[in-house]
Amino acid sequence: MDFFIKPPLTFKSKENELIEQNIYYKILHKYNESDIVFKIIKNNGLIKNLTKKDCIKLSINFASEIRKNIKTNDANNQIKIMAIIGASEESAIFMLSSLYLGAHHCICFEDLSSDAIRQRVDIFKPDAIICKKKIIKKVNIALNINYQIKIPIINIDSEKIDNNELKSEKVNNYKKDYSLFTLFTSGSTGKPKAIIHGFSEYLNYAEFTTEYFFGIKKNSTIFTAVDAGWINGHTYAFYGPLLLGGISIINEIPSLISIPRILCKYLNKIKP
């Protein structure tokens, strides 16, 4: 497969109305094959680089795994995928895989209780749930709380998707009525509220604000020290930097930002 054929990014009607958009390639098209897209501060303290080539291999492989597990007979409906996951290499690959599938995705915090997960599943109604092996038991408990529909649970531990050969999969475009992602409020004042984001206006907003407020451009490095379940984690650790061809730092050690001495050590290494 040629990683770097650049297909049309948008498809418009004769009246210049947006019909659909290839967001997967729109996100990655400013990078060359060997360009670094993400630098991951791993749980073991090492820094792992993911190039464009790495991102494509991992995301297409995981998209294939998701597609294999989702049983839907309606090709016209957008699939919905929920991930219970923190800021990590896997969260970035999950989001890229969702874009490859043209899916409506949702990320929730790993430390939610089973009941809080169940509330969000009831509202979002995903076709599949993605999580790491360590919390599969908690997700299963959530689905057993008054939940009748069988939803596939897919393990996204990086070791599971890192050792496969690249699979050939068809990229799905986002149609004009598709949603990009949903994020939930914390639920601290009652039932959590789902905020749905469309793709066209949001991507323009993410690209503009990342460049205008933070000065990010191609090969710039940005460190957004927030969880993937927050809007800033979506906008300034993923969509904004990638649309501009920047390098995004993802931190898998939550306590890192509360220890100034160690944080400065990593900042000196990654030089954001």
Side-chain angles (χ1 to χ4, degrees), residues 69-72 80 121-122 125-129 136-137 139-154:
N69 280 274
I70 290 180
K71 297 176 175 60
T72 175
K80 299 171 77 175
V121 170
D122 283 348
K125 295 180 170 51
D127 296 298
I129 296 176
I136 285 178
K137 182 178 179 181
V139 174
N140 269 316
I141 292 171
L143 296 186
N144 287 332
I145 302 175
N146 300 324
Y147 214 79
Q148 304 299 321
I149 302 171
K150 181 70 175 174
I151 300 174
I153 301 173
I154 306 170

Side-chain angles (χ1 to χ4, degrees), residues 4 23 25 43 48 52 58 71 148 181 191 228 234:
F4 308 108
I23 297 177
Y25 283 103
N43 278 316
K48 178 178 180 179
K52 176 178 179 176
L58 293 170
K71 297 176 175 60
Q148 304 299 321
F181 64 86
K191 189 174 181 180
H234 277 57

Side-chain angles (χ1 to χ4, degrees), residues 22-238:
N22 186 333
I23 297 177
Y24 183 79
Y25 283 103
K26 180 181 175 71
I27 284 285
L28 292 171
H29 83 282
K30 289 191 177 179
Y31 297 93
N32 297 316
E33 176 179 3
S34 59
D35 286 349
I36 295 172
V37 181
F38 296 105
K39 291 187 176 184
I40 317 291
I41 302 175
K42 301 293 290 181
N43 278 316
N44 60 11
L46 299 177
I47 297 173
K48 178 178 180 179
N49 293 336
L50 290 182
T51 64
K52 176 178 179 176
K53 185 173 182 178
D54 297 328
C55 288
I56 289 176
K57 176 191 170 185
L58 293 170
S59 59
I60 293 179
N61 282 348
F62 194 62
S64 176
E65 185 74 12
I66 294 170
R67 191 173 271 154
K68 183 175 71 177
N69 280 274
I70 290 180
K71 297 176 175 60
T72 175
N73 297 319
D74 192 347
N76 294 317
N77 282 346
Q78 185 182 22
I79 62 173
K80 299 171 77 175
I81 314 169
M82 174 180 282
I84 318 294
I85 196 166
S88 59
E89 174 184 352
E90 292 87 351
S91 67
I93 297 306
F94 163 73
M95 291 170 77
L96 284 170
S97 299
S98 297
L99 297 181
Y100 196 86
L101 293 168
H104 178 179
H105 72 260
C106 173
I107 293 184
C108 299
F109 304 114
E110 271 187 344
D111 59 357
L112 290 172
S113 67
S114 292
D115 188 57
I117 291 171
R118 192 265 311 161
Q119 286 183 316
R120 287 156 176 79
V121 170
D122 283 348
I123 294 169
F124 187 65
K125 295 180 170 51
D127 296 298
I129 296 176
I130 315 299
C131 64
K132 294 185 178 183
K133 185 177 181 180
K134 64 182 181 181
I135 67 161
I136 285 178
K137 182 178 179 181
K138 181 165 66 172
V139 174
N140 269 316
I141 292 171
L143 296 186
N144 287 332
I145 302 175
N146 300 324
Y147 214 79
Q148 304 299 321
I149 302 171
K150 181 70 175 174
I151 300 174
I153 301 173
I154 306 170
N155 175 14
I156 196 178
D157 286 287
S158 58
E159 297 81 7
K160 180 179 173 63
I161 57 175
D162 206 3
N163 298 320
N164 300 323
E165 292 298 319
L166 179 62
K167 299 172 182 176
S168 178
E169 287 284 339
K170 178 181 178 294
V171 64
N172 284 12
N173 294 330
Y174 279 75
K175 299 177 182 178
K176 65 178 181 179
D177 58 342
Y178 276 15
S179 300
L180 184 58
F181 64 86
T182 287
L183 286 177
F184 282 93
T185 59
S186 65
S188 58
T189 58
K191 189 174 181 180
K193 297 159 187 70
I195 313 299
I196 301 172
H197 296 261
F199 65 86
S200 185
E201 296 83 357
Y202 171 77
L203 293 177
N204 290 336
Y205 161 83
E207 184 173 9
F208 172 76
T209 56
T210 305
E211 181 177 22
Y212 184 81
F213 291 111
F214 302 108
I216 299 301
K217 53 186 182 296
K218 184 168 175 59
N219 296 323
S220 294
T221 302
I222 183 169
F223 179 20
T224 308
V226 295
D227 199 282
W230 294 114
I231 185 62
N232 283 347
H234 277 57
T235 305
Y236 302 120
F238 188 82

